[in-house]
Every structure is written in C-alpha cells, then in structure tokens.
Amino acid sequence: MKLTETVQTADFKSEKHVPVIHVEKADGLLKIKAIVGEEIEHPNTLEHHIAWIKVFFKPEGEKFPIEVGSYEFKAHGEGEIFTVPCVKTVVKTDKGGEVYALSYCNIHGLWENSVEA
C-alpha cells in the first residue's frame, strides 16, 4: 500500500479531522488559515489529538506543490494548557493556484483538503 492511499478526505459525523482552509488574496499576498475542528471541535487530549498541520501551495502551471508551513502541536492538556490546531501563514505570489492542508490525528491518521487560490 502506498502512503497516499491512507490519506482521508471525508469526516466522521461526531468529530472533525479534515483541515478547513480559508484563503484571502490581496496585493500579491495569499493569507492562508488552516484549522481542524472549525465546526465541531476535535478532541485535544494526551490520548487523542491533532499532532501537526502542513500547508502547501501549488502555483498554476507548476507540477509540484511547495511546502509553505509545517506546524506541530505539543500541548494536549498538560497543566490545563491546550493547543488549538489552527495555523496562519502568508505567501507572497502573483500567481493563482491551489492551497493544500494535511493534518495528522494520532488515532485516525492523515487527512487532506484543498482549495483554489
């Protein structure tokens, strides 16, 4: 089995894993926000959590996406501190393209989403 065959894109009814992506274009910048659990919060405990989110941008006409951000979440309830799996980044480009976000749940694996930018 290939790793790409393990990436999921459809969510469960009771909890969310697929990253939601918001993109704003202005003055040659792409303002990107990726969040897991926007509508229904994902658990964030030592036993069950989103460990990381990676964000990629594939410019129009290019063959491969470029990794523009990699974010790890380390606080899952230690000392009553919880990391919310939400990231923001800004990319300088005049090109359109596609933004991808990949997230990893320590129990349910890899999850992907993409939007046109």
Side-chain angles (χ1 to χ4, degrees), residues 63-112:
K63 185 173 180 178
F64 301 110
I66 300 159
E67 184 175 335
V68 297
S70 182
Y71 312 88
E72 292 185 15
F73 306 107
K74 300 291 188 177
H76 308 294
E78 302 92 335
E80 300 300 314
I81 303 295
F82 300 90
T83 306
V84 176
C86 176
V87 300
K88 293 181 182 181
T89 192
V90 178
V91 176
K92 185 175 181 181
T93 180
D94 290 326
K95 289 188 172 186
E98 196 160 5
V99 174
Y100 299 87
L102 186 65
S103 65
Y104 178 73
C105 172
N106 71 313
I107 293 178
H108 299 111
L110 293 167
W111 299 82
E112 177 187 44

mmCIF file of all heavy atoms in Angstrom, residues 63-112:
data_model
loop_
_atom_site.group_PDB
_atom_site.id
_atom_site.type_symbol
_atom_site.label_atom_id
_atom_site.label_comp_id
_atom_site.label_asym_id
_atom_site.label_seq_id
_atom_site.Cartn_x
_atom_site.Cartn_y
_atom_site.Cartn_z
ATOM 1 N N LYS A 63 4.280 21.779 -11.613
ATOM 2 C CA LYS A 63 3.989 20.352 -11.452
ATOM 3 C C LYS A 63 3.817 19.955 -9.992
ATOM 4 O O LYS A 63 2.979 19.124 -9.667
ATOM 5 C CB LYS A 63 5.104 19.535 -12.084
ATOM 6 C CG LYS A 63 4.842 18.045 -12.076
ATOM 7 C CD LYS A 63 5.887 17.275 -12.854
ATOM 8 C CE LYS A 63 5.566 15.778 -12.822
ATOM 9 N NZ LYS A 63 6.517 14.994 -13.596
ATOM 10 N N PHE A 64 4.620 20.565 -9.088
ATOM 11 C CA PHE A 64 4.636 20.124 -7.702
ATOM 12 C C PHE A 64 4.239 21.230 -6.742
ATOM 13 O O PHE A 64 4.547 22.393 -6.961
ATOM 14 C CB PHE A 64 6.037 19.622 -7.315
ATOM 15 C CG PHE A 64 6.509 18.478 -8.160
ATOM 16 C CD1 PHE A 64 7.539 18.651 -9.069
ATOM 17 C CD2 PHE A 64 5.916 17.228 -8.051
ATOM 18 C CE1 PHE A 64 7.980 17.600 -9.841
ATOM 19 C CE2 PHE A 64 6.348 16.164 -8.831
ATOM 20 C CZ PHE A 64 7.392 16.353 -9.732
ATOM 21 N N PRO A 65 3.599 20.852 -5.633
ATOM 22 C CA PRO A 65 3.316 21.847 -4.582
ATOM 23 C C PRO A 65 4.571 22.162 -3.791
ATOM 24 O O PRO A 65 5.511 21.361 -3.734
ATOM 25 C CB PRO A 65 2.272 21.138 -3.705
ATOM 26 C CG PRO A 65 2.494 19.686 -3.935
ATOM 27 C CD PRO A 65 3.037 19.540 -5.315
ATOM 28 N N ILE A 66 4.582 23.340 -3.179
ATOM 29 C CA ILE A 66 5.687 23.815 -2.348
ATOM 30 C C ILE A 66 5.200 23.859 -0.907
ATOM 31 O O ILE A 66 4.137 24.431 -0.626
ATOM 32 C CB ILE A 66 6.122 25.227 -2.790
ATOM 33 C CG1 ILE A 66 6.581 25.199 -4.253
ATOM 34 C CG2 ILE A 66 7.208 25.780 -1.876
ATOM 35 C CD1 ILE A 66 6.549 26.555 -4.919
ATOM 36 N N GLU A 67 5.948 23.261 0.013
ATOM 37 C CA GLU A 67 5.569 23.329 1.425
ATOM 38 C C GLU A 67 5.846 24.745 1.925
ATOM 39 O O GLU A 67 6.968 25.224 1.868
ATOM 40 C CB GLU A 67 6.357 22.323 2.262
ATOM 41 C CG GLU A 67 5.920 22.301 3.711
ATOM 42 C CD GLU A 67 6.619 21.221 4.532
ATOM 43 O OE1 GLU A 67 7.067 20.213 3.957
ATOM 44 O OE2 GLU A 67 6.697 21.414 5.749
ATOM 45 N N VAL A 68 4.797 25.416 2.413
ATOM 46 C CA VAL A 68 4.943 26.793 2.891
ATOM 47 C C VAL A 68 4.838 26.901 4.405
ATOM 48 O O VAL A 68 5.081 27.967 4.971
ATOM 49 C CB VAL A 68 3.931 27.752 2.212
ATOM 50 C CG1 VAL A 68 4.197 27.820 0.708
ATOM 51 C CG2 VAL A 68 2.498 27.344 2.482
ATOM 52 N N GLY A 69 4.487 25.799 5.075
ATOM 53 C CA GLY A 69 4.428 25.822 6.528
ATOM 54 C C GLY A 69 4.260 24.430 7.102
ATOM 55 O O GLY A 69 3.578 23.589 6.530
ATOM 56 N N SER A 70 4.916 24.214 8.238
ATOM 57 C CA SER A 70 4.822 22.948 8.959
ATOM 58 C C SER A 70 4.699 23.285 10.434
ATOM 59 O O SER A 70 5.575 23.961 10.987
ATOM 60 C CB SER A 70 6.069 22.096 8.701
ATOM 61 O OG SER A 70 5.962 20.860 9.354
ATOM 62 N N TYR A 71 3.615 22.834 11.079
ATOM 63 C CA TYR A 71 3.286 23.265 12.432
ATOM 64 C C TYR A 71 3.002 22.054 13.315
ATOM 65 O O TYR A 71 2.175 21.219 12.977
ATOM 66 C CB TYR A 71 2.053 24.173 12.405
ATOM 67 C CG TYR A 71 2.165 25.252 11.355
ATOM 68 C CD1 TYR A 71 1.737 25.023 10.045
ATOM 69 C CD2 TYR A 71 2.726 26.477 11.664
ATOM 70 C CE1 TYR A 71 1.858 26.006 9.072
ATOM 71 C CE2 TYR A 71 2.849 27.466 10.695
ATOM 72 C CZ TYR A 71 2.418 27.221 9.408
ATOM 73 O OH TYR A 71 2.539 28.189 8.443
ATOM 74 N N GLU A 72 3.695 21.961 14.437
ATOM 75 C CA GLU A 72 3.477 20.882 15.397
ATOM 76 C C GLU A 72 2.746 21.427 16.610
ATOM 77 O O GLU A 72 2.987 22.562 17.025
ATOM 78 C CB GLU A 72 4.815 20.292 15.851
ATOM 79 C CG GLU A 72 5.540 19.550 14.765
ATOM 80 C CD GLU A 72 6.797 18.882 15.277
ATOM 81 O OE1 GLU A 72 6.956 18.748 16.507
ATOM 82 O OE2 GLU A 72 7.616 18.488 14.436
ATOM 83 N N PHE A 73 1.857 20.600 17.168
ATOM 84 C CA PHE A 73 1.091 20.988 18.350
ATOM 85 C C PHE A 73 1.520 20.106 19.505
ATOM 86 O O PHE A 73 1.424 18.891 19.433
ATOM 87 C CB PHE A 73 -0.411 20.866 18.070
ATOM 88 C CG PHE A 73 -0.805 21.631 16.840
ATOM 89 C CD1 PHE A 73 -1.129 20.968 15.667
ATOM 90 C CD2 PHE A 73 -0.815 23.019 16.838
ATOM 91 C CE1 PHE A 73 -1.473 21.677 14.524
ATOM 92 C CE2 PHE A 73 -1.151 23.733 15.698
ATOM 93 C CZ PHE A 73 -1.484 23.063 14.547
ATOM 94 N N LYS A 74 2.013 20.728 20.570
ATOM 95 C CA LYS A 74 2.645 19.988 21.657
ATOM 96 C C LYS A 74 1.843 19.965 22.953
ATOM 97 O O LYS A 74 2.111 19.142 23.810
ATOM 98 C CB LYS A 74 4.034 20.578 21.947
ATOM 99 C CG LYS A 74 4.976 20.521 20.761
ATOM 100 C CD LYS A 74 5.355 19.101 20.460
ATOM 101 C CE LYS A 74 6.435 19.050 19.399
ATOM 102 N NZ LYS A 74 6.883 17.709 19.128
ATOM 103 N N ALA A 75 0.898 20.891 23.144
ATOM 104 C CA ALA A 75 0.169 20.964 24.420
ATOM 105 C C ALA A 75 -1.193 20.301 24.278
ATOM 106 O O ALA A 75 -2.067 20.797 23.573
ATOM 107 C CB ALA A 75 0.010 22.413 24.859
ATOM 108 N N HIS A 76 -1.367 19.167 24.952
ATOM 109 C CA HIS A 76 -2.608 18.401 24.859
ATOM 110 C C HIS A 76 -3.200 18.152 26.236
ATOM 111 O O HIS A 76 -3.633 17.058 26.558
ATOM 112 C CB HIS A 76 -2.362 17.090 24.125
ATOM 113 C CG HIS A 76 -1.693 17.258 22.808
ATOM 114 N ND1 HIS A 76 -2.293 17.896 21.744
ATOM 115 C CD2 HIS A 76 -0.453 16.917 22.384
ATOM 116 C CE1 HIS A 76 -1.463 17.921 20.727
ATOM 117 N NE2 HIS A 76 -0.340 17.338 21.080
ATOM 118 N N GLY A 77 -3.189 19.182 27.066
ATOM 119 C CA GLY A 77 -3.823 19.080 28.372
ATOM 120 C C GLY A 77 -2.868 19.118 29.542
ATOM 121 O O GLY A 77 -3.300 19.127 30.688
ATOM 122 N N GLU A 78 -1.572 19.178 29.271
ATOM 123 C CA GLU A 78 -0.605 19.269 30.357
ATOM 124 C C GLU A 78 -0.790 20.600 31.076
ATOM 125 O O GLU A 78 -0.764 21.653 30.447
ATOM 126 C CB GLU A 78 0.842 19.184 29.830
ATOM 127 C CG GLU A 78 1.156 17.938 29.056
ATOM 128 C CD GLU A 78 0.945 18.060 27.550
ATOM 129 O OE1 GLU A 78 0.141 18.904 27.098
ATOM 130 O OE2 GLU A 78 1.567 17.285 26.830
ATOM 131 N N GLY A 79 -0.982 20.542 32.380
ATOM 132 C CA GLY A 79 -1.140 21.779 33.154
ATOM 133 C C GLY A 79 -2.317 22.615 32.720
ATOM 134 O O GLY A 79 -2.282 23.831 32.805
ATOM 135 N N GLU A 80 -3.362 21.964 32.202
ATOM 136 C CA GLU A 80 -4.567 22.669 31.725
ATOM 137 C C GLU A 80 -4.281 23.569 30.519
ATOM 138 O O GLU A 80 -4.997 24.534 30.272
ATOM 139 C CB GLU A 80 -5.226 23.478 32.851
ATOM 140 C CG GLU A 80 -5.670 22.629 34.033
ATOM 141 C CD GLU A 80 -6.692 21.568 33.651
ATOM 142 O OE1 GLU A 80 -7.646 21.883 32.934
ATOM 143 O OE2 GLU A 80 -6.506 20.407 34.073
ATOM 144 N N ILE A 81 -3.216 23.282 29.760
ATOM 145 C CA ILE A 81 -2.879 24.024 28.545
ATOM 146 C C ILE A 81 -3.226 23.150 27.346
ATOM 147 O O ILE A 81 -2.865 21.975 27.298
ATOM 148 C CB ILE A 81 -1.371 24.384 28.503
ATOM 149 C CG1 ILE A 81 -0.962 25.181 29.747
ATOM 150 C CG2 ILE A 81 -1.020 25.109 27.209
ATOM 151 C CD1 ILE A 81 -1.615 26.536 29.862
ATOM 152 N N PHE A 82 -3.930 23.730 26.370
ATOM 153 C CA PHE A 82 -4.358 23.000 25.187
ATOM 154 C C PHE A 82 -4.006 23.797 23.933
ATOM 155 O O PHE A 82 -4.320 24.977 23.842
ATOM 156 C CB PHE A 82 -5.874 22.767 25.206
ATOM 157 C CG PHE A 82 -6.339 21.980 26.394
ATOM 158 C CD1 PHE A 82 -6.711 22.625 27.567
ATOM 159 C CD2 PHE A 82 -6.405 20.604 26.333
ATOM 160 C CE1 PHE A 82 -7.147 21.908 28.659
ATOM 161 C CE2 PHE A 82 -6.842 19.872 27.426
ATOM 162 C CZ PHE A 82 -7.204 20.521 28.596
ATOM 163 N N THR A 83 -3.361 23.167 22.967
ATOM 164 C CA THR A 83 -3.071 23.811 21.693
ATOM 165 C C THR A 83 -4.258 23.613 20.761
ATOM 166 O O THR A 83 -4.718 22.484 20.568
ATOM 167 C CB THR A 83 -1.822 23.200 21.039
ATOM 168 O OG1 THR A 83 -0.740 23.241 21.955
ATOM 169 C CG2 THR A 83 -1.444 23.967 19.787
ATOM 170 N N VAL A 84 -4.750 24.680 20.176
ATOM 171 C CA VAL A 84 -5.828 24.603 19.192
ATOM 172 C C VAL A 84 -5.180 24.398 17.824
ATOM 173 O O VAL A 84 -4.295 25.172 17.441
ATOM 174 C CB VAL A 84 -6.674 25.895 19.207
ATOM 175 C CG1 VAL A 84 -7.723 25.861 18.113
ATOM 176 C CG2 VAL A 84 -7.317 26.086 20.572
ATOM 177 N N PRO A 85 -5.573 23.373 17.071
ATOM 178 C CA PRO A 85 -4.943 23.111 15.775
ATOM 179 C C PRO A 85 -5.410 24.098 14.702
ATOM 180 O O PRO A 85 -6.236 23.796 13.842
ATOM 181 C CB PRO A 85 -5.344 21.675 15.458
ATOM 182 C CG PRO A 85 -6.604 21.456 16.217
ATOM 183 C CD PRO A 85 -6.523 22.317 17.432
ATOM 184 N N CYS A 86 -4.851 25.299 14.779
ATOM 185 C CA CYS A 86 -5.176 26.385 13.859
ATOM 186 C C CYS A 86 -3.889 27.115 13.508
ATOM 187 O O CYS A 86 -3.123 27.480 14.404
ATOM 188 C CB CYS A 86 -6.165 27.345 14.519
ATOM 189 S SG CYS A 86 -6.555 28.789 13.511
ATOM 190 N N VAL A 87 -3.638 27.307 12.211
ATOM 191 C CA VAL A 87 -2.410 27.984 11.779
ATOM 192 C C VAL A 87 -2.737 29.053 10.748
ATOM 193 O O VAL A 87 -3.728 28.960 10.022
ATOM 194 C CB VAL A 87 -1.388 26.985 11.194
ATOM 195 C CG1 VAL A 87 -1.000 25.954 12.239
ATOM 196 C CG2 VAL A 87 -1.910 26.301 9.951
ATOM 197 N N LYS A 88 -1.877 30.052 10.702
ATOM 198 C CA LYS A 88 -1.986 31.109 9.698
ATOM 199 C C LYS A 88 -0.611 31.349 9.104
ATOM 200 O O LYS A 88 0.394 31.321 9.818
ATOM 201 C CB LYS A 88 -2.494 32.407 10.329
ATOM 202 C CG LYS A 88 -3.912 32.332 10.824
ATOM 203 C CD LYS A 88 -4.343 33.653 11.421
ATOM 204 C CE LYS A 88 -5.766 33.564 11.957
ATOM 205 N NZ LYS A 88 -6.199 34.851 12.528
ATOM 206 N N THR A 89 -0.585 31.576 7.794
ATOM 207 C CA THR A 89 0.664 31.920 7.125
ATOM 208 C C THR A 89 0.343 32.843 5.960
ATOM 209 O O THR A 89 -0.804 32.925 5.510
ATOM 210 C CB THR A 89 1.422 30.659 6.651
ATOM 211 O OG1 THR A 89 2.733 31.026 6.253
ATOM 212 C CG2 THR A 89 0.704 29.962 5.522
ATOM 213 N N VAL A 90 1.353 33.550 5.490
ATOM 214 C CA VAL A 90 1.198 34.459 4.360
ATOM 215 C C VAL A 90 2.246 34.095 3.313
ATOM 216 O O VAL A 90 3.418 33.920 3.640
ATOM 217 C CB VAL A 90 1.364 35.936 4.794
ATOM 218 C CG1 VAL A 90 1.238 36.861 3.591
ATOM 219 C CG2 VAL A 90 0.338 36.291 5.865
ATOM 220 N N VAL A 91 1.797 33.980 2.069
ATOM 221 C CA VAL A 91 2.672 33.634 0.956
ATOM 222 C C VAL A 91 2.673 34.796 -0.028
ATOM 223 O O VAL A 91 1.600 35.282 -0.400
ATOM 224 C CB VAL A 91 2.179 32.349 0.256
ATOM 225 C CG1 VAL A 91 3.023 32.037 -0.960
ATOM 226 C CG2 VAL A 91 2.166 31.180 1.223
ATOM 227 N N LYS A 92 3.857 35.221 -0.440
ATOM 228 C CA LYS A 92 3.963 36.287 -1.432
ATOM 229 C C LYS A 92 4.049 35.663 -2.818
ATOM 230 O O LYS A 92 4.979 34.916 -3.115
ATOM 231 C CB LYS A 92 5.208 37.138 -1.163
ATOM 232 C CG LYS A 92 5.317 38.331 -2.065
ATOM 233 C CD LYS A 92 6.486 39.201 -1.671
ATOM 234 C CE LYS A 92 6.567 40.405 -2.579
ATOM 235 N NZ LYS A 92 7.691 41.261 -2.236
ATOM 236 N N THR A 93 3.038 35.920 -3.650
ATOM 237 C CA THR A 93 2.999 35.395 -5.017
ATOM 238 C C THR A 93 1.979 36.179 -5.832
ATOM 239 O O THR A 93 0.968 36.631 -5.296
ATOM 240 C CB THR A 93 2.647 33.892 -5.045
ATOM 241 O OG1 THR A 93 2.631 33.453 -6.416
ATOM 242 C CG2 THR A 93 1.292 33.612 -4.428
ATOM 243 N N ASP A 94 2.266 36.332 -7.096
ATOM 244 C CA ASP A 94 1.298 36.942 -8.004
ATOM 245 C C ASP A 94 0.501 35.875 -8.743
ATOM 246 O O ASP A 94 -0.407 36.189 -9.497
ATOM 247 C CB ASP A 94 2.010 37.846 -9.015
ATOM 248 C CG ASP A 94 2.573 39.100 -8.353
ATOM 249 O OD1 ASP A 94 1.932 39.600 -7.406
ATOM 250 O OD2 ASP A 94 3.652 39.553 -8.770
ATOM 251 N N LYS A 95 0.867 34.621 -8.535
ATOM 252 C CA LYS A 95 0.201 33.516 -9.226
ATOM 253 C C LYS A 95 -0.991 33.003 -8.436
ATOM 254 O O LYS A 95 -1.003 33.037 -7.211
ATOM 255 C CB LYS A 95 1.170 32.354 -9.421
ATOM 256 C CG LYS A 95 2.249 32.601 -10.436
ATOM 257 C CD LYS A 95 3.020 31.320 -10.681
ATOM 258 C CE LYS A 95 3.984 31.496 -11.836
ATOM 259 N NZ LYS A 95 4.627 30.218 -12.176
ATOM 260 N N GLY A 96 -1.964 32.497 -9.155
ATOM 261 C CA GLY A 96 -3.020 31.726 -8.532
ATOM 262 C C GLY A 96 -2.541 30.296 -8.396
ATOM 263 O O GLY A 96 -1.412 29.972 -8.765
ATOM 264 N N GLY A 97 -3.397 29.448 -7.885
ATOM 265 C CA GLY A 97 -3.011 28.049 -7.750
ATOM 266 C C GLY A 97 -3.926 27.332 -6.794
ATOM 267 O O GLY A 97 -5.099 27.668 -6.668
ATOM 268 N N GLU A 98 -3.366 26.365 -6.101
ATOM 269 C CA GLU A 98 -4.145 25.565 -5.170
ATOM 270 C C GLU A 98 -3.397 25.482 -3.841
ATOM 271 O O GLU A 98 -2.188 25.285 -3.802
ATOM 272 C CB GLU A 98 -4.368 24.165 -5.733
ATOM 273 C CG GLU A 98 -5.459 23.404 -5.042
ATOM 274 C CD GLU A 98 -6.003 22.257 -5.889
ATOM 275 O OE1 GLU A 98 -5.467 21.995 -6.980
ATOM 276 O OE2 GLU A 98 -6.966 21.630 -5.436
ATOM 277 N N VAL A 99 -4.156 25.644 -2.746
ATOM 278 C CA VAL A 99 -3.615 25.504 -1.398
ATOM 279 C C VAL A 99 -4.077 24.157 -0.857
ATOM 280 O O VAL A 99 -5.252 23.815 -0.953
ATOM 281 C CB VAL A 99 -4.087 26.645 -0.469
ATOM 282 C CG1 VAL A 99 -3.631 26.405 0.969
ATOM 283 C CG2 VAL A 99 -3.588 27.985 -0.980
ATOM 284 N N TYR A 100 -3.138 23.419 -0.294
ATOM 285 C CA TYR A 100 -3.421 22.119 0.324
ATOM 286 C C TYR A 100 -3.091 22.190 1.803
ATOM 287 O O TYR A 100 -2.132 22.860 2.196
ATOM 288 C CB TYR A 100 -2.539 21.011 -0.266
ATOM 289 C CG TYR A 100 -2.709 20.770 -1.731
ATOM 290 C CD1 TYR A 100 -1.979 21.507 -2.661
ATOM 291 C CD2 TYR A 100 -3.570 19.793 -2.196
ATOM 292 C CE1 TYR A 100 -2.116 21.278 -4.020
ATOM 293 C CE2 TYR A 100 -3.715 19.560 -3.554
ATOM 294 C CZ TYR A 100 -2.979 20.300 -4.459
ATOM 295 O OH TYR A 100 -3.123 20.076 -5.804
ATOM 296 N N ALA A 101 -3.852 21.482 2.616
ATOM 297 C CA ALA A 101 -3.511 21.318 4.032
ATOM 298 C C ALA A 101 -3.618 19.833 4.357
ATOM 299 O O ALA A 101 -4.554 19.152 3.941
ATOM 300 C CB ALA A 101 -4.430 22.131 4.926
ATOM 301 N N LEU A 102 -2.635 19.347 5.103
ATOM 302 C CA LEU A 102 -2.572 17.953 5.529
ATOM 303 C C LEU A 102 -2.460 17.958 7.043
ATOM 304 O O LEU A 102 -1.644 18.690 7.598
ATOM 305 C CB LEU A 102 -1.346 17.293 4.901
ATOM 306 C CG LEU A 102 -1.132 15.802 5.074
ATOM 307 C CD1 LEU A 102 -2.237 15.010 4.370
ATOM 308 C CD2 LEU A 102 0.225 15.406 4.502
ATOM 309 N N SER A 103 -3.318 17.190 7.717
ATOM 310 C CA SER A 103 -3.264 17.119 9.178
ATOM 311 C C SER A 103 -3.090 15.668 9.613
ATOM 312 O O SER A 103 -3.421 14.745 8.868
ATOM 313 C CB SER A 103 -4.520 17.713 9.820
ATOM 314 O OG SER A 103 -5.659 16.956 9.489
ATOM 315 N N TYR A 104 -2.573 15.508 10.843
ATOM 316 C CA TYR A 104 -2.343 14.165 11.369
ATOM 317 C C TYR A 104 -2.960 14.025 12.752
ATOM 318 O O TYR A 104 -2.588 14.736 13.690
ATOM 319 C CB TYR A 104 -0.848 13.854 11.450
ATOM 320 C CG TYR A 104 -0.572 12.490 12.032
ATOM 321 C CD1 TYR A 104 -0.817 11.344 11.290
ATOM 322 C CD2 TYR A 104 -0.112 12.351 13.327
ATOM 323 C CE1 TYR A 104 -0.596 10.083 11.826
ATOM 324 C CE2 TYR A 104 0.115 11.094 13.872
ATOM 325 C CZ TYR A 104 -0.122 9.964 13.115
ATOM 326 O OH TYR A 104 0.093 8.731 13.649
ATOM 327 N N CYS A 105 -3.919 13.106 12.879
ATOM 328 C CA CYS A 105 -4.526 12.744 14.159
ATOM 329 C C CYS A 105 -3.802 11.500 14.662
ATOM 330 O O CYS A 105 -3.621 10.544 13.894
ATOM 331 C CB CYS A 105 -6.019 12.452 13.980
ATOM 332 S SG CYS A 105 -6.823 11.770 15.452
ATOM 333 N N ASN A 106 -3.389 11.520 15.921
ATOM 334 C CA ASN A 106 -2.608 10.396 16.437
ATOM 335 C C ASN A 106 -3.397 9.083 16.466
ATOM 336 O O ASN A 106 -2.799 8.014 16.528
ATOM 337 C CB ASN A 106 -2.043 10.716 17.824
ATOM 338 C CG ASN A 106 -3.104 10.757 18.891
ATOM 339 O OD1 ASN A 106 -4.157 11.364 18.726
ATOM 340 N ND2 ASN A 106 -2.829 10.125 20.013
ATOM 341 N N ILE A 107 -4.718 9.124 16.377
ATOM 342 C CA ILE A 107 -5.531 7.899 16.360
ATOM 343 C C ILE A 107 -6.058 7.590 14.961
ATOM 344 O O ILE A 107 -6.054 6.441 14.534
ATOM 345 C CB ILE A 107 -6.708 8.008 17.356
ATOM 346 C CG1 ILE A 107 -6.167 8.032 18.776
ATOM 347 C CG2 ILE A 107 -7.702 6.857 17.167
ATOM 348 C CD1 ILE A 107 -7.230 8.177 19.838
ATOM 349 N N HIS A 108 -6.492 8.618 14.219
ATOM 350 C CA HIS A 108 -7.196 8.407 12.955
ATOM 351 C C HIS A 108 -6.387 8.730 11.702
ATOM 352 O O HIS A 108 -6.930 8.726 10.597
ATOM 353 C CB HIS A 108 -8.509 9.195 12.957
ATOM 354 C CG HIS A 108 -9.424 8.765 14.049
ATOM 355 N ND1 HIS A 108 -9.709 9.569 15.126
ATOM 356 C CD2 HIS A 108 -10.086 7.601 14.245
ATOM 357 C CE1 HIS A 108 -10.527 8.920 15.941
ATOM 358 N NE2 HIS A 108 -10.767 7.719 15.430
ATOM 359 N N GLY A 109 -5.098 9.051 11.852
ATOM 360 C CA GLY A 109 -4.219 9.170 10.697
ATOM 361 C C GLY A 109 -4.241 10.490 9.961
ATOM 362 O O GLY A 109 -4.503 11.548 10.535
ATOM 363 N N LEU A 110 -3.952 10.400 8.646
ATOM 364 C CA LEU A 110 -3.749 11.572 7.794
ATOM 365 C C LEU A 110 -5.054 12.026 7.136
ATOM 366 O O LEU A 110 -5.851 11.214 6.677
ATOM 367 C CB LEU A 110 -2.749 11.232 6.691
ATOM 368 C CG LEU A 110 -1.323 10.954 7.146
ATOM 369 C CD1 LEU A 110 -0.517 10.329 6.003
ATOM 370 C CD2 LEU A 110 -0.668 12.226 7.631
ATOM 371 N N TRP A 111 -5.206 13.372 7.055
ATOM 372 C CA TRP A 111 -6.405 13.995 6.492
ATOM 373 C C TRP A 111 -5.985 15.151 5.597
ATOM 374 O O TRP A 111 -5.064 15.897 5.932
ATOM 375 C CB TRP A 111 -7.314 14.503 7.611
ATOM 376 C CG TRP A 111 -7.754 13.380 8.480
ATOM 377 C CD1 TRP A 111 -7.065 12.803 9.512
ATOM 378 C CD2 TRP A 111 -8.981 12.665 8.373
ATOM 379 N NE1 TRP A 111 -7.784 11.773 10.042
ATOM 380 C CE2 TRP A 111 -8.970 11.663 9.388
ATOM 381 C CE3 TRP A 111 -10.078 12.768 7.554
ATOM 382 C CZ2 TRP A 111 -10.029 10.788 9.560
ATOM 383 C CZ3 TRP A 111 -11.142 11.899 7.740
ATOM 384 C CH2 TRP A 111 -11.105 10.915 8.734
ATOM 385 N N GLU A 112 -6.669 15.321 4.467
ATOM 386 C CA GLU A 112 -6.278 16.319 3.493
ATOM 387 C C GLU A 112 -7.468 17.129 2.996
ATOM 388 O O GLU A 112 -8.589 16.616 2.919
ATOM 389 C CB GLU A 112 -5.616 15.633 2.291
ATOM 390 C CG GLU A 112 -5.230 16.578 1.178
ATOM 391 C CD GLU A 112 -4.728 15.848 -0.049
ATOM 392 O OE1 GLU A 112 -5.340 14.831 -0.456
ATOM 393 O OE2 GLU A 112 -3.715 16.292 -0.622
#
